[in-house]
């Protein structure tokens, strides 16, 4: 079965964001590479020292099934980044306590748009935008569907 792994693009804050996510989820980065680590490519000019320090790719396993991945982008690479407004990451917690821990940890320094609370559809659910502009949803199904 295919796995869904969210891929986040940042405008120079990827490393800080992933260190923050690691502080909440735990674990280690199996891979973290910077643009300066890439071999030269035909047709591409040299990148600046600052752009070389940006994250080319990082991955952080957050469960047996899911890997959070990300990179930086910049106008130097032909693309400007508008972080967080085109997707949300949805987390289905295994308990109310886990939902609280993840919500509280990830929303620190961000903006809560819907506090965790019981919903009309039978879940404990909340939404926020973290301090890096990424939209999140945290859900715990208190009455799992059979």
């Amino acid at each position: 079965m295919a796995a869904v792994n969210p891929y986040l693009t940042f405008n120079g804050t990827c490393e800080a964001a992933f260190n923050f996510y690691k502080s909440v989820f735990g674990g280690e980065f199996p891979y973290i590479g910077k643009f300066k680590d890439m071999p030269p490519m035909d047709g591409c000019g040299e990148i600046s020292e600052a752009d070389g320090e940006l994250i080319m790719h990082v991955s952080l396993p957050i469960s047996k099934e899911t890997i959070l991945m990300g990179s930086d982008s910049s106008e130097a690479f032909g693309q400007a980044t508008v972080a967080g407004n085109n997707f949300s990451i949805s987390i289905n917690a295994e308990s109310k306590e886990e939902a609280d821990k993840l919500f509280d940890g990830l929303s620190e320094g961000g903006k809560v748009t819907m506090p965790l609370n019981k919903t009309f559809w039978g879940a404990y659910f909340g939404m926020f935008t973290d301090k890096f502009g990424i939209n999140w949803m945290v859900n715990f199904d208190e009455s799992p569907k059979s």
Side-chain angles (χ1 to χ4, degrees):
M1 177 174 279
V4 175
N5 293 304
Y7 200 103
L8 311 175
T9 304
F10 297 89
N11 192 16
T13 60
C14 184
E15 188 167 12
F18 270 74
N19 283 326
F20 172 69
Y21 301 149
K22 181 179 168 186
S23 77
V24 175
F25 289 110
E28 296 298 324
F29 302 126
Y31 178 77
I32 185 166
K34 297 187 176 187
F35 282 100
K36 69 180 182 183
D37 301 329
M38 285 184 357
M41 295 188 301
D42 290 349
C44 294
E46 284 197 24
I47 59 172
S48 71
E49 190 172 309
D51 284 342
E53 290 301 318
L54 296 175
I55 301 299
M56 176 186 63
H57 180 76
V58 61
S59 58
L60 178 65
I62 59 174
S63 75
K64 292 177 192 172
E65 300 83 18
T66 306
I67 300 171
L68 190 62
M69 295 180 276
S71 67
D72 282 312
S73 186
S74 80
E75 291 185 19
F77 305 128
Q79 177 181 357
T81 302
V82 178
N85 65 355
N86 60 342
F87 66 93
S88 292
I89 299 171
S90 180
I91 300 173
N92 285 314
E94 293 185 0
S95 68
K96 187 175 181 210
E97 293 75 23
E98 182 181 45
D100 286 330
K101 175 187 178 282
L102 294 172
F103 188 95
D104 293 344
L106 289 168
S107 66
E108 182 181 335
K111 181 180 179 187
V112 174
T113 53
M114 181 179 176
L116 275 171
N117 210 339
K118 290 184 178 188
T119 64
F120 67 88
W121 63 86
Y124 184 62
F125 178 82
M127 298 187 306
F128 58 90
T129 302
D130 74 19
K131 63 185 175 183
F132 297 102
I134 304 300
N135 297 318
W136 295 81
M137 300 174 194
V138 175
N139 186 78
F140 169 63
D141 289 320
E142 294 185 292
S143 306
K145 297 165 184 66
S146 42

